[in-house]
Amino acid sequence: MAGGRPPAGREDPAALRFGVLGPVRAWRGDAPLATGSPQQRALLAALLLREGRTATAAELIDALWGEDPPSQALAALRTYASRLRKILEPGVLVSESGGYAVRGLGEGALDLTAAQDLAAEAEKARSAGDLCHARDVLRRALALWDGEVLAGVPGPYAEAQRVRLEEWRLQLLETRLDMDLEQGCHAEAVSELTALTAAHPLRERLRELLMLALYRSGRQAEALAVYADTRRLLADELGVDPRPGLQELQQRILRADPGLAEPPAPTAESAVTPLRPAQLPATVPDFTGRASFVRELSDVLAAASGDGTASRVMAVSALAGIGGVGKTTLAVHVAHQARAAFPDGQLYVDLQGAGARPAEPETVLGSFLRALGTADSAIPDSLEERAALYRSVLDGRRVLVLLDNARDAAQVRPLLPGTDGCAALVTARVRMVDLAGAHLVDLDVMSPEEALALFTKIVGEERVASEREAALDVVGACGFLPLAIRIAASRLAARRTWTVSVLAAKLADERRRLDELQAGDLAVKATFELGYGQLEPAQARAFRLLGLADGPDISLAAAAAVLDLPAEDTEDLLESLVDTSLLESAAPGRYRFHDLVRLYARACAERDEHPPGERGAALSRLLDFYLATAAGVYAIERPGDRLVDGLEPTEYPGLAFTEGPAALDWLYSEAAPLLACVRQAAESDRLRRAVDLLWAAKDLTESGANSHQYETTARAMCEATRSAGDTLAEGRARTVLTDVLLVSGRIPQAEEESRLAMRLAESVKDAVAVSWVANSLGLICLHQGRHGDSKPFFEQAIAGFRALCNRPPEATALCNLSRAHLGVGDVSQAVDFARRGLAAHAEFGRTVRLANSHYALGIALNRAGRHTEALGHFSEALTIFSAHRQRLWEGTTNFRIAEVHLGAQRPAQAAQHAEQALALGCIGGDRMLGNVLTLLGRALSSLEQTDRARACWNKALRLYEQEGAEEASEARALLAPASAA
């Protein structure tokens, strides 16, 4: 009911609505009604809280005035009732039996009744195991509270109800937080629980939930510190020990009890969160043969799902064989047969092991954890932490994991479950002899009988029966490879005018097959030759050119650029290729090649594409498309910024967006193929455009999304431009890499790259890069505490941007100059420069850079002691950063808000925002993380949670020492009193 809105009713929108979970209020529809004096509101509240029951005059007098009513209490009561009747509808406030009652209200008319109904619905959903729905309903119930219950209402009855309803609210909140932890939302809960324990320090259930949330977030020392703080507080305030449940939790944390690593499994399947994933691809309806392999693999899976009569194990089977031999088909078929033995779900991933860039295990683990119900904020960053959390989430569950198309054992190991009852099926081209404990299966080509049976199932018994010898010739020419047989049979099935003999004759022509048909991977090429040879010229051209593009998939718009065709014609061609099984439809409007098909398509392009320059032209159009579109996204996100004017020109157009959300959606969804396009241009004459594309897509690293891939690409472009001797491109590539290093807090590396970038840019008079690098050099000085040294760099940047008529980055440099003045103690100048930067950014709307200006001004105002103004600017920055999906900047702003609250002696709020900063991450890497932990420790210390505070300072000290940061001395000083004690 925030903002004084009436509770949502389900009947006449003009009906009466009442609120008591805050100030006592009434509405007719959305129009507020005047409820009179405090005593009159007290009467209305007393009647509403009786939910239709009659209250006698004596009861109401006692409720309003207690043991000392005025002499004219009864007359006053009647006056209040008369006034309320005039406000309310006839028949609502009735007189009976010497008292009064409120009757005839519609469903949901009173916020308290609505909250009670929602709480009952949540309890029912929780009992049924639907935690997601229960959490959502409880959130709706808790949202009905709007400040203090019965705010401003006098009388003993109102006071008693305030206590009762506040206790009920806390119980609901504890229930919701308990379910948050059951659903794996540990990191999200820590911030809220930190604030709640500060507000209600003696409420042991909140302390217990905080300990559990911290432990599951990998913060064991802080969890134990919470217990120590709680024990000391209870002893000091009440002279008692913590309750047994809290003591038991502390002992379980000390023992690292595995049962604490994950919430208990739900008793019923959630209707919202995919806690029981079913990711297996569809099994083929015409699966044929492989009976001995099916039995062998099924027996291994049965050992994993033993029901008590046999010991359960964590089973791993690894299938190996050449491409196209049917590894995936067999594994999927066996997995579907075994589904019932793994009732907690089945996970699937294509590891892209045969490609140039196999899937990274940490990325796969992130996807698996989400599918298992883990919130994004609870997923750690490192591979080791993700693997550990993955094994913990699977502990006690019976889940089958299918790891398809693996590169090697090293890629697979982090993805294996760690406990019995689970199983993994792995397919790969290599035998995984170094995968400890794996049951190895070597899959060979089909027998002639199996191959013929598969061919017959696809083509049809009637057509094959009359041409059995020709059919045997066909499967023989396919080398008995299942994929080749399936492609050949599908083509024949789609052409009713062909006979089997016609197909056999085509395959008998060795000119239509590769000589390598009889050995190794070359057999796969022969299979694809069959499908490629049947394509119409336009289809064949599309197949060849699309195979040139790197990346996991390609969008319809990007494919249209490669083919230089309208989107409608491109879609027709791509869908026809999907029908031939030479292309896959990854999602609506997105397409991908199997890795082997892509290699074959490229071979075809080298052999068949004429003129040869068309291959380079296709990739050039793709690069143009990405650069033009990314430049458009940059322009929408940063209106007025003329960086895009200094980028390399493009000939092929990109997509045009009118709204920021759609533009950002495109950028993030296209991140992988876009970065692949940049890397692919490293060995071509497209270097400058590729570097500029990387620059225009800088949101991919500033937001924290795709940071690793972006940095890898930036480093590759630095090396490529250096090797090519392209000074301008290398200067810009190193400018981009400097930004990456600054965001991640690697200041020494950033300084090295920025100085090299400056020398390169100045040598070719690249004014655009010079201005941006000067700004970066100033920021580096700030990070190093050399505030005076930073000013010339920012002044150089300001002058450079001004010469380029580039107002927004000039404003950004002004805000940075504000930070420099702040560092040397010139607070008034700092505020002035920040205001100038803010005014300049405001000309271009609510952009990311406007948020940066609010952020800079907030810092300056906080230093000036103007805490309220600072909070206002930080709050505005936070809103804008959130709207633009700048997660790292959101976290950094929360840190600054925490600084303000701590300076204003509001440690509870400071701790809450510091926790949010930890959950989101911050610009500046581990050093900034140390700053957040230091501040959090100070806030907790002020809340007398000294053990937890010390745990934060110890962690901060370790981070500072790893970074060689001067702040380490501050952390040691904070720890010194505790150490001395």
Side-chain angles (χ1 to χ4, degrees):
M1 252 170 57
R5 297 204 314 259
R10 301 179 187 173
E11 299 183 2
D12 182 3
L16 285 173
R17 307 277 190 273
F18 297 93
V20 294
L21 298 178
V24 177
R25 291 176 289 198
W27 298 265
R28 181 172 287 107
D30 290 332
L33 302 176
T35 51
S37 66
Q39 286 77 16
Q40 187 170 307
R41 293 198 303 275
L43 172 61
L44 177 60
L47 296 174
L48 289 170
L49 289 170
R50 278 170 169 75
E51 301 181 19
R53 299 186 303 276
T54 301
T56 66
E59 290 173 334
L60 291 171
I61 289 172
D62 185 62
L64 268 65
W65 290 286
E67 297 179 355
D68 189 24
S71 58
Q72 300 296 316
L74 182 59
L77 184 69
R78 290 170 176 165
T79 299
Y80 298 148
S82 175
R83 291 173 180 170
L84 286 172
R85 281 199 186 96
K86 294 177 182 178
I87 297 169
L88 307 178
E89 295 174 356
V92 172
L93 197 160
V94 298
S95 302
E96 60 181 24
S97 304
Y100 299 97
V102 170
R103 302 274 173 79
L105 299 183
E107 182 180 1
L110 178 62
D111 57 0
L112 175 59
T113 304
Q116 291 168 337
D117 292 343
L118 289 169
E121 181 183 347
E123 181 59 32
K124 182 178 180 181
R126 189 181 190 185
S127 298
D130 193 350
L131 294 182
C132 292
H133 182 60
R135 289 168 65 204
D136 180 63
V137 172
L138 268 188
R139 283 195 185 94
R140 287 159 52 198
L142 289 163
L144 293 172
W145 268 262
D146 188 18
E148 183 185 31
V149 173
L150 305 176
V153 174
Y157 179 77
E159 181 58 34
Q161 293 299 311
R162 264 192 290 273
V163 173
R164 178 181 72 87
L165 293 174
E166 173 60 14
E167 173 62 24
W168 185 49
R169 183 187 74 85
L170 288 172
Q171 291 173 359
L172 293 180
L173 192 55
E174 288 170 346
T175 301
R176 198 218 77 214
L177 286 162
D178 191 27
M179 288 190 287
D180 286 350
L181 298 188
E182 287 187 60
Q183 290 281 278
C185 301
H186 322 309
E188 296 165 326
V190 168
S191 173
E192 187 173 1
L193 283 164
T194 296
L196 286 168
T197 54
H200 307 278
L202 297 176
R203 200 169 183 93
E204 291 183 68
R205 178 56 179 158
L206 290 174
R207 298 273 184 158
E208 183 178 353
L209 291 170
L210 177 57
M211 288 173 64
L212 188 57
L214 286 166
Y215 181 75
R216 289 181 178 168
S217 299
R219 299 160 68 177
Q220 181 180 8
E222 288 184 65
L224 293 170
V226 169
Y227 178 82
D229 289 331
T230 304
R231 182 179 60 184
R232 183 175 54 255
L233 179 68
L234 291 173
D236 292 346
E237 297 290 330
L238 304 177
V240 299
D241 291 327
R243 60 187 180 85
L246 204 60
Q247 295 179 35
E248 180 185 356
L249 178 59
Q250 183 227 16
Q251 291 301 312
R252 293 180 70 190
I253 290 174
L254 286 170
R255 296 194 307 268
D257 186 341
L260 293 179
E262 62 162 318
T267 57
E269 183 173 348
S270 167
V272 180
T273 300
L275 293 176
R276 294 178 180 174
Q279 296 183 341
L280 294 177
T283 187
V284 293
D286 48 28
F287 182 84
T288 304
R290 308 295 202 189
S292 62
F293 290 109
V294 171
R295 285 194 301 271
E296 180 180 354
L297 292 168
S298 297
D299 289 343
V300 175
L301 294 181
S305 59
D307 57 3
T309 59
S311 60
R312 285 167 50 177
V313 298
M314 201 293 287
V316 180
S317 294
L319 287 73
I322 62 172
V325 80
K327 302 181 294 296
T328 299
T329 301
L330 173 61
V332 169
H333 179 76
V334 171
H336 273 283
Q337 286 195 337
R339 283 184 64 187
F342 298 93
D344 295 318
Q346 306 85 41
L347 297 168
Y348 171 84
V349 64
D350 178 3
L351 294 172
Q352 303 177 36
R357 297 179 180 87
E360 296 178 356
E362 53 263 46
T363 302
V364 176
L365 285 169
S367 176
F368 278 179
L369 286 168
R370 292 184 192 95
L372 291 164
T374 306
D376 277 351
S377 59
I379 297 175
D381 291 328
S382 74
L383 171 61
E384 293 77 14
E385 289 176 317
R386 288 189 178 191
L389 178 59
Y390 169 67
R391 293 190 295 270
S392 298
V393 170
L394 289 180
D395 185 30
R397 302 188 187 187
R398 293 162 66 183
V399 173
L400 176 61
V401 183
L402 205 170
L403 306 172
D404 192 19
N405 194 12
R407 182 182 184 88
D408 51 31
Q411 185 189 31
V412 167
R413 287 191 193 99
L415 309 179
L416 296 178
T419 57
D420 60 11
C422 292
L425 283 172
V426 184
T427 72
R429 293 188 189 181
V430 297
R431 296 185 81 246
M432 294 198 174
V433 294
D434 53 346
L435 190 61
H439 175 75
L440 302 181
V441 177
D442 292 323
L443 194 59
D444 202 352
V445 296
M446 283 182 154
S447 68
E449 293 75 19
E450 288 176 333
L452 183 60
L454 175 60
F455 184 82
T456 302
K457 281 188 177 182
I458 298 172
V459 173
E461 179 69 35
E462 183 178 349
R463 295 178 75 182
V464 174
S466 60
E467 296 185 275
R468 181 178 174 82
E469 290 302 318
L472 286 171
D473 289 340
V474 169
V475 297
C478 290
F480 307 114
L481 282 167
L483 182 57
I485 295 165
R486 183 173 299 281
I487 292 175
S490 297
R491 292 308 249 164
L492 182 59
R495 287 161 174 75
R496 305 303 300 175
T497 59
W498 283 13
T499 64
V500 180
S501 297
V502 169
L503 178 60
K506 290 179 178 291
L507 292 176
D509 184 359
E510 292 186 358
R511 293 172 302 174
R512 301 190 63 84
R513 290 185 284 140
L514 300 177
D515 294 337
E516 296 85 352
L517 180 61
Q518 300 301 317
D521 284 351
L522 299 179
V524 177
K525 288 188 177 181
T527 302
F528 294 142
E529 184 71 30
L530 172 65
Y532 178 69
Q534 303 298 326
L535 296 179
E536 300 295 332
Q539 292 176 312
R541 174 181 178 269
F543 175 74
R544 293 191 300 268
L545 294 183
L546 289 175
L548 297 172
D550 280 349
D553 62 3
I554 191 168
S555 67
L556 177 60
V562 172
L563 302 180
D564 197 17
L565 291 173
E568 295 80 4
D569 295 345
T570 301
E571 185 174 22
D572 290 343
L573 280 173
L574 269 55
E575 288 297 327
S576 70
L577 288 174
V578 170
D579 291 339
T580 69
S581 299
L582 290 174
L583 192 67
E584 299 175 15
S585 179
R590 301 197 74 84
Y591 300 88
R592 67 186 177 203
F593 281 106
H594 182 281
D595 47 10
L596 296 175
V597 181
R598 186 199 302 277
L599 293 176
Y600 175 73
R602 290 181 176 179
C604 291
E606 292 175 4
R607 180 189 65 193
D608 301 338
E609 198 60 46
H610 299 290
E614 175 58 11
R615 299 198 299 271
L619 291 175
S620 181
R621 289 191 296 270
L622 179 63
L623 180 57
D624 273 359
F625 166 78
Y626 281 134
L627 176 53
T629 309
V633 174
Y634 186 98
I636 288 177
E637 283 295 288
R638 296 168 175 79
D641 191 332
R642 300 189 62 183
L643 170 69
V644 293
D645 297 340
L647 302 180
E648 288 290 304
T650 58
E651 296 181 4
Y652 195 90
L655 298 176
F657 299 101
T658 57
E659 297 181 351
L664 287 176
D665 285 343
W666 177 88
L667 181 64
Y668 294 132
S669 66
E670 289 291 323
L674 182 151
L675 294 175
C677 182
V678 173
R679 291 190 296 268
Q680 193 171 11
E683 299 179 1
S684 71
D685 58 357
R686 304 183 296 277
L687 268 178
R688 290 192 176 185
R689 279 180 291 158
V691 170
D692 283 354
L693 170 56
L694 195 60
W695 204 353
K698 64 189 297 183
D699 273 330
L700 293 177
T701 189
E702 286 200 7
S703 66
N706 305 98
S707 296
H708 176 68
Q709 296 91 332
Y710 189 94
E711 179 180 345
T712 300
T713 306
R715 291 188 181 279
M717 297 313 294
C718 288
E719 180 59 29
T721 51
R722 186 194 63 79
S723 298
D726 191 330
T727 304
L728 185 143
E730 184 184 356
R732 292 190 171 192
R734 296 194 184 279
T735 301
V736 169
L737 182 56
T738 297
D739 287 342
V740 175
L741 296 168
L742 270 171
V743 168
S744 60
R746 287 170 283 173
I747 304 306
Q749 294 181 48
E751 182 176 18
E752 180 181 351
E753 288 296 335
S754 62
R755 294 195 181 281
L756 179 54
M758 180 62 83
R759 288 198 299 271
L760 293 165
E762 287 179 339
S763 70
V764 293
K765 296 181 172 55
D766 184 358
V768 175
V770 166
S771 300
W772 285 98
V773 177
N775 186 67
S776 295
L777 282 165
L779 290 173
I780 289 165
C781 289
L782 290 183
H783 280 284
Q784 294 171 333
R786 298 186 293 115
H787 302 93
D789 293 343
S790 70
K791 291 167 67 175
F793 288 119
F794 290 134
E795 289 164 355
Q796 179 185 3
I798 292 167
F801 289 129
R802 189 170 295 157
L804 293 166
C805 300
N806 202 353
R807 185 73 167 143
E810 178 189 343
T812 298
L814 281 168
C815 291
N816 293 334
L817 184 57
S818 162
R819 299 279 302 279
H821 280 280
L822 204 60
V824 297
D826 193 348
V827 178
S828 61
Q829 278 283 76
V831 171
D832 179 62
F833 278 114
R835 288 197 185 281
R836 288 167 57 187
L838 178 65
H841 276 306
E843 299 172 11
F844 301 98
R846 288 169 60 82
T847 66
V848 172
R849 295 309 172 223
L850 179 65
N852 289 128
S853 296
H854 281 293
Y855 174 87
L857 183 54
I859 292 174
L861 290 169
N862 184 41
R863 182 71 65 84
R866 295 153 68 177
H867 302 308
T868 302
E869 291 179 75
L871 275 179
H873 286 285
F874 284 139
S875 297
E876 182 65 14
L878 196 61
T879 300
I880 300 174
F881 284 138
S882 178
H884 289 266
R885 309 180 205 178
Q886 295 289 321
R887 178 175 59 86
L888 296 181
W889 274 112
E890 283 185 71
T892 308
T893 306
N894 269 295
F895 166 68
R896 296 301 183 184
I897 292 174
E899 282 188 323
V900 176
H901 283 304
L902 191 61
Q905 305 303 311
R906 294 188 290 267
Q909 293 95 319
Q912 183 177 13
H913 283 282
E915 286 288 359
Q916 290 173 354
L918 290 176
L920 290 163
C922 293
I923 297 288
D926 285 347
R927 185 172 182 174
M928 176 59 86
L929 176 58
N931 294 342
V932 178
L933 287 165
T934 300
L935 183 144
L936 176 58
R938 290 182 181 277
L940 294 171
S941 180
S942 297
L943 295 168
E944 298 185 0
Q945 298 182 29
T946 52
D947 286 330
R948 189 179 166 201
R950 190 181 178 197
C952 291
W953 292 332
N954 271 312
K955 188 172 182 180
L957 178 58
R958 290 195 297 272
L959 291 171
Y960 288 145
E961 288 176 341
Q962 290 171 10
E963 295 294 309
E966 61 184 15
E967 290 90 343
S969 59
E970 177 188 359
R972 292 191 191 96
L974 289 168
L975 288 164
S979 301

